[in-house]
Amino acid sequence: METALAGLVGLFYAVAIYLMLSKHIIRVLLGIVIFGNAVNMTIFTAGRIVREVPPIIPAGAERIESVVANPLPQALILTAIVISFSFFAFLLVLAYRAYQELGTDDTDEMRVAEPEGESLPPLGY
Amino acid sequence: MAAPGATSIDTAAAHIAGATALADWLVIAPVALPILGGALLLMVRHRTRVHAVLAFLFLFASFLSSAFLLARVVSEGPLVMTMGRWLPPFGITFNADVLGATFATAATFVATVAAVFALRDINVTGRRYGFYSFLLLMVAGVDGAFLTGDIFNLYVWFEVFVISSFGLLVLGSERRQIDGATKYAVLNLVATTVFLITTGMLYGTFGTLNMADIARKAEGLRETGPLMTIATLYLLAFGMKAAAFPLNYWLPASYHTPRIVTSALFGGLLTKVGIYALLRTMMTLFPVEREVLSGLIGWIAVATMLLGILGALAQSDVRRIIGFVVISGIGVMLSGLALGTPLGVTGTILYAVHSILVMTALYLLAGLMHEAGGSYSLHETAGLYRSHPLLAAMALLLVLAAAGLPPLSGLWPKVMLVKASIESGAWWLASAILVSSILTVIALGRVFALSFWRMDAGETVERTDAERAISPGAGYGVLAALIVPAIAIGVYPEPFLRLAAAAAAGLADPASYLDAVFPPGGGS
Amino acid sequence: MIDIIQNYLAGILIIVGSGFALVASIGLLRLPEFYTRMHAASKAGTLGSGVMLIALAVYTDETTIATRALAGFVFFLLTAPISAHLLAKAAYAAGYPLWEGSVHDEMPQQSRDPDA
Amino acid sequence: MRTVIFRTTAPYLTSLMVLFSVFVLLRGHNEPGGGFIGGLIAASAFAIYGIACGVAPVRRALYFHPMGLAGFGLFLSAMSGFVSLAKGVPFLTGIWTSVNLFGVSLDLSTILFFDIGVYFVVVGSITSIALALEERERD
Amino acid sequence: MNASEAFLTGAVYLALALLSLSFLVTVLRVVRGPTLPDRIVGLDMLVAVAIGFIAVIGIKTGVTLYVDVAIALGLVGFLATVAFARFVMNRGRDREVDGELQSGSEPLEHRRPEASS
Amino acid sequence: MTIYLINILLALAWVAVTGSATISNFLFGFVLGAGALYLIREQAGSLGYFRRTRRVVSLFALFLYELVLSSWRVAVLVVQPRMDLKPGIFAYPLKVDREFEITLLANLITLTPGTLSVDVSEDRRFLYVHALDCSDPDQTRLDIANGFERKIMEAFR
């Protein structure tokens, strides 16, 4: 199972990096989303995959008697998902605004903040 | 599905039994207070009048609490609080050591001062948009990063301040800002994702996320675990955040676009969090791996400081010059990390504190120059010395400070770093630091010469005096508040040196840190 | 006794439901163009999953699960036609043409205006 | 999407989804669910309402500005961590209490309030983004 | 294990097989396109198939926790379709030629930027 | 509307009297209450209530019947080796005019396979329906008018 997941993670990373190298901002965003999912699966795999019961203490009991799944990776992934979701929501709005304001989704043409051919500073004093 | 070797988890044993003293709440106060303040400001977003006052109060309170925290940590050793009574590795630990508390104090001080400056810079629309809420949340994120003892929690705080910084960055929604913010956001997202990947691998290797626990377990895993990979990836992730070469071009592309007070906070605080994280991971968690990587870090440091300052020489916009100066400073800080000797790390820590103060002050100075001269461009400003002598004096002081000349705060850390590199036989590093200092003098000296001394610009710009400042005095006061501690570090360095040395000692020898998280005889 | 009825009924229902789902997806693949595919997918598919949810409601002994499964079914019945309608309308307004084998088009041309 | 069919059903769907979101929020204690997912469902409900009937009715229906709601949620979550101050236990420790209301015993905990806070943060921030985009789209 | 249970077990496996098959067939349609609405319909269908899976697995294992997931999935699927429909309507068909999306580098001509938001 | 309320109140009374607040008990009380209301139908004026209920049920039954029947037809059509398709859009003149009724009719048409309501005209007089088999639109129109639309008008007017 770990092997299969590791292969899948690798595939995800490959796709994500391929997309992130594109110059269209929307592709970069999609790449980032896949990147985030790949990371989540990495954490999931790192937490040792076992077929166990959820780590919930039954009502009335003080402790769990059986083997339980590791709750920590799930908590971590959940946190990471929440964060990457909000991040992505923000980036989506930003990309949309950029497309509207700058009239392009090509990062090569986004040079408003750093205009090309800027003059050098005055050299004399 | 009863597997062999079934273990049961006793919840009672996973809890901390003892009560927590009220004074221990000091650990989370620098984080919790800004969060509460930010939330409160979001709730009263229409009452823009109270925003500044509330923000100032909350920031000042968190500054006071982090200062008290620092005092307590210095006298009694690291202070620990575990959230929700769950013992590590399940519970998230906040622990303040000298390093974290020092950085938190400097950060909250700068933020408080910037909140005052924002009175001039941010109008009602900006306040309604939530400038102060974002400011407070960003401070909470930065403080959280400084004070947390859990590496995943560090990631969370990184994200908190990065997301808040997005909010600050696009405030005003000019085209330039959106352009800068896009690059900033994508690069930062990639950096934090690399951070997360590494943390995942770290968890897979150690089975814990508590930094003290990792440091304890790293000894046993050095032979087998992929620690080298993890350390390198952390170097990559935090290097990206700290704007180290070659992953630093997002900084000059974005830092000059927002409001000047936002630029000041970014330049002062955000890159330093990257430096802090590098110090923490490299020195406490992976000291052996850092040893191996030190050559690489050293070259990165040299490239960052030299290319950064060369970039500054080619700019004509004051804010972009300062952006490159910030990068150059990162290189100087990295050199101490590359050396790894107590003296070098002490120098790095002191330089970071100096940089928090001075870079913020430089950006604010640029804002005041813009107000006085009507432009950020060196082509278009001249003769400010005549019209604004006080500003010129402060500018001169700041140039000296940034270049590391006496009698200001930049001197001592650079002296220490140079001395440390010579002690370690790294002449190239020492000479790079010196060369970059000279170039800084040239780059910033030119700003001073052109904008203040030069009598008359070749091409004068139409002065747009439509939005005059509320009162120039407040701006000067704010600048002075930042320069005074910088002078204090410069002329009376002993207590600061002792503080930085204590921080470096705690970093290099994590025993006291470990004892605070895992008290001998107790815990898991 | 009631167990046996439950089992048989649930078994039949899930076979019917998955059969519908399969038919829908085959229709999705075989039908010539978008509008006709939509007939297969957004209805036979919905019916299929709905029937399977009913099967779950029949099978389970817990009332809460059964009511929830039924609630899910009702919810599908509410949303499926609306989303199908919106998609068809949007596609038509955006100018995706009908299949060339179509025999009839009484839709007025002005509703191709994207703002309509 | 000016179509009669969608506009007549959307408000009812919205109320149904909000109801479901509260259900998901409250059951998040020992079953899947909780503030985040509940908040997302509620935010998508408002998004549907906004797409069908326009942004202005949604803003009127919410009464408070979405960012204000988010701030309230953040405040609630942060404050729920401070309750444990009174008990002398660390920040964010769950404190449970039982309230007797009209003969019905109600178990309250700081965790619940934390979750409700998360719910509001998510509803507020996502809705404000969605509405801003929708407004821009319509102009 | 009596006859009815055996029948149910067989039915569950048959249903899983049928669902998997329909999943694959639908994915084929999503990949093939050729137009955007075709893909949207395919995605819609995928949601339905996923819900079918949830129901069948609920019967097979007795783990019925996922029923709420099914409802939420239906909600999200609905929202997604509505949003896609909006997108299709706003974009129109002009940018899609022979099922291939032209990369969107053409500037916007009708929406001009305003200075502030 | 008040009759519904009375029926619910009766059901609540039943729950209160029996003292077990479960859903099934409530539903049982609701049915019992409906029976009790049926006894006093002439005084309470609840005749229409029952007629309407019967018609709603009959509408639902028709819907289920149509759903299963035409699902089957589409299923057969789809798996045939040679598909015999004559799709097209026809305009259906609406007799119902309230928003709720139009929506209901359109949704019912959409849910039954073979027909899909694409749009309602601006003046709400026509419903545009896409049909898989549009060889005889007049017959289909007649089917809808005599089937769903008549039942809807009966049930809700």
Side-chain angles (χ1 to χ4, degrees), chain D residues 84-128:
Chain D
S84 52
L85 183 66
K87 290 246 177 172
V89 286
F91 189 62
L92 281 175
T93 307
I95 307 288
W96 295 78
T97 177
S98 199
V99 178
N100 228 324
L101 206 69
F102 307 120
V104 183
S105 160
L106 204 61
D107 284 332
L108 291 180
S109 66
T110 53
I111 300 158
L112 178 70
F113 285 102
F114 185 84
D115 229 16
I116 294 174
V118 171
Y119 176 86
F120 275 111
V121 170
V122 175
V123 172
S125 45
I126 304 295
T127 309
S128 89

Side-chain angles (χ1 to χ4, degrees), chain F residues 63-75:
Chain F
F63 165 65
L64 282 186
Y65 173 74
E66 284 277 332
L67 185 64
V68 173
L69 187 75
S70 42
S71 296
W72 180 250
R73 260 190 236 138
V74 171

Side-chain angles (χ1 to χ4, degrees), chain B residues 27-47:
Chain B
V27 180
I28 59 153
V31 186
L33 284 175
I35 287 185
L36 276 180
L40 209 60
L41 285 178
L42 277 179
M43 283 159 73
V44 295
R45 61 187 286 282
H46 287 291
R47 309 242 173 89

Side-chain angles (χ1 to χ4, degrees), chain C residues 62-94:
Chain C
E62 290 170 63
T63 328
T64 52
I65 302 293
T67 44
R68 254 180 245 162
L70 287 178
F73 175 60
V74 170
F75 194 81
F76 278 137
L77 231 49
L78 281 180
T79 54
I82 295 169
S83 55
H85 156 71
L86 286 176
L87 196 53
K89 179 184 158 73
Y92 199 87

Side-chain angles (χ1 to χ4, degrees), chain B residues 373 377-385 387 449-458 460:
Chain B
S377 169
L378 288 185
H379 294 289
E380 292 161 357
T381 48
L384 295 181
Y385 176 69
S387 51
L450 289 175
S451 294
F452 287 92
W453 272 349
R454 184 170 53 160
M455 275 306 116
D456 159 46
T460 41

Side-chain angles (χ1 to χ4, degrees), chain A residues 13 20 25 28-29 32-33 35-36 38-40 42-43 45-48 51-53 55 57 61-73 75-84 86-88 90-91 94-95 97-99 101-103 107 109-115 118-125, chain B residues 1-12 89-90 129 152 155-156 159 162-163 166-167 170 173-183 185-186 188-190 192-194 196-197 199-201 203-205 207-209 249 252-254 256-257 312-317 320 378-379 442 445-446 449-450 454:
Chain A
Y13 277 131
M20 282 197 291
I25 193 85
V28 176
L29 286 193
I32 284 171
V33 173
F35 203 44
V39 175
N40 290 341
T42 311
I43 299 178
T45 320
R48 311 281 187 278
R51 270 179 92 143
E52 308 295 355
V53 289
I57 302 170
E62 270 291 302
R63 58 177 71 181
I64 307 173
E65 298 299 343
S66 61
V67 180
V68 293
N70 186 356
L72 212 52
L76 303 185
I77 292 171
L78 200 59
T79 317
I81 287 175
V82 170
I83 290 174
S84 58
S86 51
F87 230 124
F88 182 65
F90 178 85
L91 267 179
L94 192 64
R97 290 297 309 277
Y99 179 58
E101 300 271 329
L102 312 176
T107 40
E109 291 170 26
M110 290 188 181
R111 295 206 66 105
V112 182
E114 301 170 278
E118 244 181 330
S119 60
L120 283 173
L123 292 173
Y125 288 99
Chain B
M1 210 169 289
T7 52
S8 67
I9 295 166
D10 190 351
T11 50
F90 291 104
Y129 173 87
F152 190 81
Y155 163 75
V156 173
E159 298 284 21
V162 168
I163 290 179
F166 289 162
V170 295
S173 300
E174 292 163 27
R175 300 179 63 186
R176 219 158 37 87
Q177 291 179 331
I178 287 171
D179 185 15
T182 311
K183 291 160 189 168
V186 169
N188 271 286
L189 189 52
V190 173
T192 47
T193 312
V194 173
L196 186 60
I197 296 171
T199 307
M201 288 176 63
Y203 178 68
T205 312
T208 178
L209 291 165
Y249 288 98
S254 59
H256 65 288
T257 58
L313 285 172
Q315 301 300 319
S316 58
D317 183 317
R320 297 193 65 182
L378 288 185
H379 294 289
I442 296 174
R446 188 166 58 191
L450 289 175
R454 184 170 53 160

